[in-house]
Amino acid sequence: MSSIVSPTVLGAPSGRRERRVPGGHELANASRTAQRRQRTDRLATLLIWSGAALALLPLALIIGLLLVRGSAALSVAFFTELPDLSLPSGGGIANAIAGSALLVGIASLMGLPIGIAAGLHLATHPHTRLSRISRYLSDVLNGVPSIVIGVFAWEVFVRPVGHFSAWAGGLALAVLLVPLVARTTETVVSLVPVELTEAALALGFPRWRTSLQVVLRTALPGIVTGALVAVARIAGETAPLLFTAFGNAFWSMSPDEPIAALPLTIYAYAGSPYEGWQTLAWGGALVLLLLVAGLSVVARLATRRQLSRVGAGR
Amino acid sequence: MTSARIGASDRLFLIGTAAAVSVVPLLIVVITVIVVIAAWPAVQTHGLTLLTGVEWDVPRQQFGALPAIVGTLTSSAMALALAAPVGVCVAVFVNELAPRTIGTAVGALVDLLAAIPSVVYGLWGIFVLLPWLRETVMPLLRDTLGLGRFALFSGPAYGPSLLASGLVLAIMILPYIAAVAREVLAAVPRAQREAALALGATRWEMVRDAVLPTARAGLIGGVMLGLGRALGETMAVTMVIGNRNALPDSLFAPAYSMAALLANEFNEATGDAHVSALMAVAGVLLFVALLVNALARVLVGSVRTRHARVPG
């Protein structure tokens, strides 16, 4: 590039020098500058490449080790039995998998309808004061530490009741879910072509039926995948469950009692001195990662396809 | 259906979705109010000692959270110092340098870091990072490189330490910084790059002089979002920081963070005074997180809107 264009243009060429006819040593100077700039360019490029490579290193290390140590833990018993210290394998984590499913189910029942309705409103009334404030604050709420949400859920749902419960855990997760789902729903719904809405209204549809049967239905695949990503994120959360769901070493499916969860089990067994339980922690981590990362990768690919399809319709 | 009834059901629907939208601001208000009310007794009893006291001694009813606050701030600062340059590198690489397919792949892989649950980072930290720090990195820094003369790198190498938590946090916030940085760089008008190239800039000069300065506010916003994540991150930090409630005198020393303090003590809190003091810690954490995130969003938003209407 700069071998064609005069290399002294960028940088700080003084006007005085440009008006003079360049002498021999000035040309040499100029080509030295050009060389220096090329070297800087190559060095910077190299640094940026290594920075990007450095970013991928921990990912490879973590996932690699999880695959190795986690897959060693997986067996049929791992998915069907309870933790059992008397066995060298440590038993299984069936209670934690079921407990996580129940917690995520409760959170989804509470959080998804609110989040999706909120997202629909944000997209269909984008410029009202309520929408502008809520859009901003849902990004802020997204950044509130999840442990604080756990403390909050404890104060409103565990302290008055007097005991830990799956309800409280589900509530804490639902608080995390609402802003996530609201924003992904808004993104997808705002891509629905406005002509569709206009056509429905022109045909005499009331607004609420237009919203539900035309707008929401067109955006539904994107909304579902967005919701999946959000649910996958909260399924991996531990901190909000510490003082709400609490964990349970036994089988429980009652929403009114303390309940086990996959992330809680990993946390409890990671610090255990028993090899069997450490193995359970690694196996649990692999299962959790496959659930969370797998779900969000699949959902993101699907969303991208959906976005490009809806976008093309404009 | 008469038009009046259509109007009524439309209004009902509008009220319903508007109520759903109001849940978000409402939640922020309710969470803040509940935490502040619960923390109030401790604030009245201990006042500023909650923030400035160095003694956290539950049996003697001493609740000074300064060690935890310092631990949170230093480990987050370390994480930022490590993750911010790498995150911006990733964004520049993906948006400006790499061939499209490689760029997309690298972007997606770095995004994947955000999908790994915190507790999994903690597990990896306990079994891989801590032994590595204890046996290789800490002796290397302290003895081989001779940095042990400085207080920052002195002391016994246990493994669990500020250094460990800073490293784990850096990995965890990297995807957030990279994602915002990519978004912000993408918002820089194409014409700006072409102008720089047309003036004879090399590719690096284009990035340095035409792209990064334009995106600066947004980049700072992205780094602040990462800071918000780091401040409130709980599980991974609790698992590697060492949970020692004293002011750390070295990066190698076990330390504490506000979030870890909550995670460890809340369930075993003895008596209302202890709970209230922990609520005050949660309140400090909430306040700092709200502040950092609110600022970050404004900065990121400013870049996005400023360049949205510029023809690219």
Side-chain angles (χ1 to χ4, degrees), chain A residues 61-120:
Chain A
L61 287 175
I62 293 172
I63 299 219
L65 192 72
L66 261 183
L67 288 176
V68 172
R69 298 206 50 175
S71 57
L74 299 188
S75 65
V76 177
F78 181 81
F79 292 100
T80 57
E81 284 175 16
L82 296 181
D84 186 349
L85 192 51
S86 63
L87 299 172
S89 70
I93 54 165
N95 59 339
I97 295 174
S100 267
L102 182 69
L103 284 167
V104 167
I106 292 174
S108 303
L109 282 180
M110 291 196 270
L112 286 184
I114 297 178
I116 291 175
L120 186 66

Side-chain angles (χ1 to χ4, degrees), chain B residues 178-274:
Chain B
V180 176
R182 279 169 55 197
E183 197 182 325
V184 170
L185 292 193
V188 174
R190 213 181 135 75
Q192 197 133 329
R193 296 182 175 80
E194 285 166 0
L197 290 177
L199 285 172
T202 62
R203 212 153 38 151
W204 164 242
E205 284 163 348
M206 171 199 84
V207 170
R208 189 193 59 194
D209 297 331
V211 179
L212 293 183
T214 314
R216 190 171 53 213
L219 291 177
I220 295 174
V223 171
M224 285 185 69
L225 276 185
L227 176 65
R229 290 272 151 197
L231 291 170
E233 182 44 56
T234 310
M235 301 319 295
V237 172
T238 308
M239 290 160 93
V240 302
I241 201 170
N243 300 328
R244 189 182 67 123
N245 210 336
L247 278 177
D249 45 10
S250 150
L251 290 181
F252 292 0
Y256 226 158
S257 82
M258 289 189 272
L261 179 64
L262 289 172
N264 282 321
E265 292 200 358
F266 206 87
N267 273 339
E268 282 116 47
T270 48
D272 287 344
H274 192 186

